[in-house]
Amino acid sequence: MPSHRQLLPSLAIMLLLSAPAFAQQQMGGPQHNAAQQQELSQKDLDFIKNAAMGGMTEVELGKIAEQKAHSPDVKSFGARMVHDHSRANDQLTTIAKERGVPVPQQLDTEHMQIRDRLAKLQGGAFDRSYIRMMVVDHDKDIKAFRQEAQTGHDRELKRFARETLAMVEQHDKLAHDIERSMIAVGSSRPPR
């Protein structure tokens, strides 16, 4: 007849081997995250990736504008990009993590090159290039956020896109206004 002392080691080993599987079930584990990620459409996944990369880029370029811009309006615009897009990036990251979707943690090569090219400019040349870039970028972002808000599949992503769209539209209007004011005073022309 087996004694209790002989059963205890076997029972302890069974408990140790089953603990990781139990913890993954309780915490959502990789299988749970993969299932959540599969529930998102490819369009929603692309939106997360592109919005995260775009938001990071806005923050990086805004920081450069805060330091290098000649115009107080451009400096102020850069500071607003840092503030608003940092907040939006945090919200998007939370939504993505809840769905098990990784978000980029650093700029990709294309966006690093844009940042590096802009960082080499000075004074009025910097202001013109930065604001022109912000006009083009926010015009494009409005379309992407509007499309996600209207046709996205994930309810939280649609809400995020809808709420963030209002902010992007404000940024777009402001960038257009700054660009028009630069043209009006002739600062958009390169020096001779």
Side-chain angles (χ1 to χ4, degrees), residues 169-183:
E169 288 172 335
Q170 290 172 358
H171 294 170
D172 188 56
K173 181 185 180 320
L174 188 55
H176 278 277
D177 289 347
I178 293 171
E179 184 178 50
R180 274 192 293 276
S181 73
M182 290 169 72
I183 291 169

Side-chain angles (χ1 to χ4, degrees), residues 1 14 18 25 38 46 70 86 130 135-136 142 173 178 183:
M1 166 167 99
M14 284 179 18
S18 64
Q25 280 182 331
Q38 287 174 357
D46 290 344
H70 178 71
S86 292
Y130 174 67
V135 165
V136 170
I142 285 174
K173 181 185 180 320
I178 293 171
I183 291 169

Side-chain angles (χ1 to χ4, degrees), residues 50-67:
N50 293 333
M53 184 61 64
M56 271 195 308
T57 303
E58 296 285 354
V59 171
E60 289 288 319
L61 298 182
K63 288 176 181 177
I64 295 170
E66 285 181 293
Q67 296 171 0

